[in-house]
């Protein structure tokens, strides 16, 4: 009888491990391994250098801060702040859009100025994909950099020592995209420049390099306490649209 109970206990432990949601770090390591081994895998656009980029997003520092800024016609748009520490992720919008807090209690989303929000099921795969998407919408910069690696003659290379990046200008702009800003060792996409095909206005998006932090700002936890959350079946995938 004791042997039966012991076998059942071990079986239960193994089953819970096999079917448990992989941790954020585990998911990131899986992605890094996929990128590192992807030299001949081009569908979708995946290549070894991307391992540097995802490492910078999630693993380089114990706590990381990244700022996304947008500019249109010379006027500064709202910013997005991303904070990552271990299993915790916070995405804070200065203007419109959904804020996000992913911690040990779940994944919470709310809009600025509202006192109600939603709590969704945590998927670390979705969280990793969402942070990557925020810092490279539709993988546009990853795709253009891949083109540069394979067809460098289609780009004009303009170093920018002041900003620590290299501007890769498309000799023939495509779909309005004119240039991306890149540092290569380690790989980081600092942003892109385009001309909006509809408005004809110049636009620019910049992404700061990962900044090391000792601790996350206390205001992040305080913001959560000001919002009431209700369970929702929505997922982060609704925020991601690929061209």
């Amino acid at each position: 009888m004791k042997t039966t109970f012991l076998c059942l206990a071990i079986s239960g432990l193994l089953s819970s491990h096999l079917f448990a949601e992989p941790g954020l770090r585990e998911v990131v390591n899986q992605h890094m391994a996929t990128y590192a081994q992807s030299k001949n895998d081009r569908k979708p656009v995946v290549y070894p250098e991307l391992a540097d980029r995802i490492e910078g997003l999630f693993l380089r520092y114990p706590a990381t801060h990244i700022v996304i800024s947008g500019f249109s016609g010379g006027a500064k748009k709202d910013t997005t702040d991303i904070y990552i520490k271990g299993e915790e992720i916070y995405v804070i919008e200065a203007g419109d859009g959904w804020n996000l807090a992913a911690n040990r209690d779940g994944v919470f989303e709310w809009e600025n100025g509202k006192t109600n929000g939603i709590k969704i099921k945590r998927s670390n795969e979705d969280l990793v994909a969402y942070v990557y998407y925020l810092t490279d919408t539709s993988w546009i910069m990853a795709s253009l950099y891949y083109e540069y690696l394979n067809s460098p003659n289609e780009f004009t290379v303009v170093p920018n020592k002041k900003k620590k990046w290299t501007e890769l200008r498309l000799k023939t702009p495509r779909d309005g995209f004119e240039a991306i800003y890149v540092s290569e060792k380690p790989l980081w996409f600092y942003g892109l420049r385009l001309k909006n095909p509809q408005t004809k206005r110049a636009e620019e998006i910049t992404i700061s390099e990962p900044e090391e932090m000792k601790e996350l700002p206390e205001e992040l936890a305080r913001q959560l306490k000001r919002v009431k959350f209700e369970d929702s079946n929505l997922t982060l995938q609704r925020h991601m649209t690929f061209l």
Side-chain angles (χ1 to χ4, degrees), residues 5-226:
F5 282 125
L6 180 60
C7 290
L8 288 172
I10 293 173
S11 177
L13 286 171
L14 289 173
S15 296
S16 63
H17 175 72
L18 287 172
F19 294 101
E21 165 78 16
L24 190 72
R25 179 178 287 270
E26 183 179 351
V27 171
V28 171
N29 283 329
Q30 290 171 353
H31 281 261
M32 289 180 66
T34 298
Y35 298 155
Q37 299 170 8
S38 64
K39 194 164 186 65
N40 297 315
D41 180 10
R42 303 304 184 187
K43 295 181 180 180
V45 178
V46 170
Y47 43 90
E49 291 84 353
L50 291 177
D52 280 346
R53 184 170 137 67
I54 199 167
E55 185 269 343
L57 279 169
F58 293 97
L59 302 182
R60 186 167 301 159
Y61 302 123
T64 300
H65 178 213
I66 296 164
V67 182
I68 304 170
S69 302
F71 302 84
S72 178
K76 186 174 181 180
K77 290 184 177 179
D78 294 324
T79 60
T80 300
D81 288 270
I82 301 174
Y83 301 91
I84 301 171
K85 181 182 180 183
E87 297 293 305
E88 294 183 75
I89 297 176
Y90 293 85
V91 177
I92 305 299
E93 300 280 356
D96 297 332
W98 287 86
N99 300 301
L100 175 141
N103 56 34
R104 62 184 180 183
D105 296 321
V107 177
F108 306 88
E109 292 188 81
W110 72 101
E111 296 177 275
N112 285 333
K114 295 188 177 181
T115 56
N116 294 310
I118 60 174
K119 180 181 179 182
I120 65 175
K121 182 179 179 181
R122 178 163 182 145
S123 164
N124 286 321
E125 281 284 355
D126 282 358
L127 284 168
V128 170
Y130 184 50
V131 171
Y132 197 110
Y133 180 88
L134 288 173
T135 55
D136 185 11
T137 302
S138 294
W139 283 55
I140 292 169
M141 289 182 286
S143 298
L144 290 174
Y145 185 67
Y146 167 67
E147 289 188 28
Y148 166 74
L149 292 176
N150 287 274
S151 304
N153 291 334
E154 295 183 9
F155 293 78
T156 300
V157 178
V158 183
N160 189 325
K161 294 182 179 180
K162 182 178 180 180
K163 295 187 176 181
K164 299 191 296 185
W165 69 47
T166 297
E167 181 179 339
L168 303 178
R169 294 179 187 170
L170 284 154
K171 292 181 178 178
T172 303
R174 192 174 308 121
D175 298 321
F177 296 106
E178 298 179 340
I180 58 172
Y181 312 134
V182 177
S183 66
E184 296 189 273
K185 294 184 179 180
L187 180 66
W188 186 252
F189 300 141
Y190 282 88
L192 58 82
R193 187 176 69 251
L194 69 149
K195 184 172 289 185
N196 190 306
Q198 296 179 338
T199 65
K200 306 301 181 183
R201 298 184 67 178
E203 297 184 6
E204 183 180 60
I205 299 170
T206 59
I207 301 97
S208 69
E209 65 181 318
E211 175 192 3
E212 182 177 12
M213 303 185 73
K214 292 183 178 179
E215 296 292 340
L216 299 180
E218 295 181 358
E219 175 60 22
L220 297 176
R222 285 197 290 265
Q223 286 191 46
L224 279 179
K225 293 180 179 179
R226 295 194 286 263

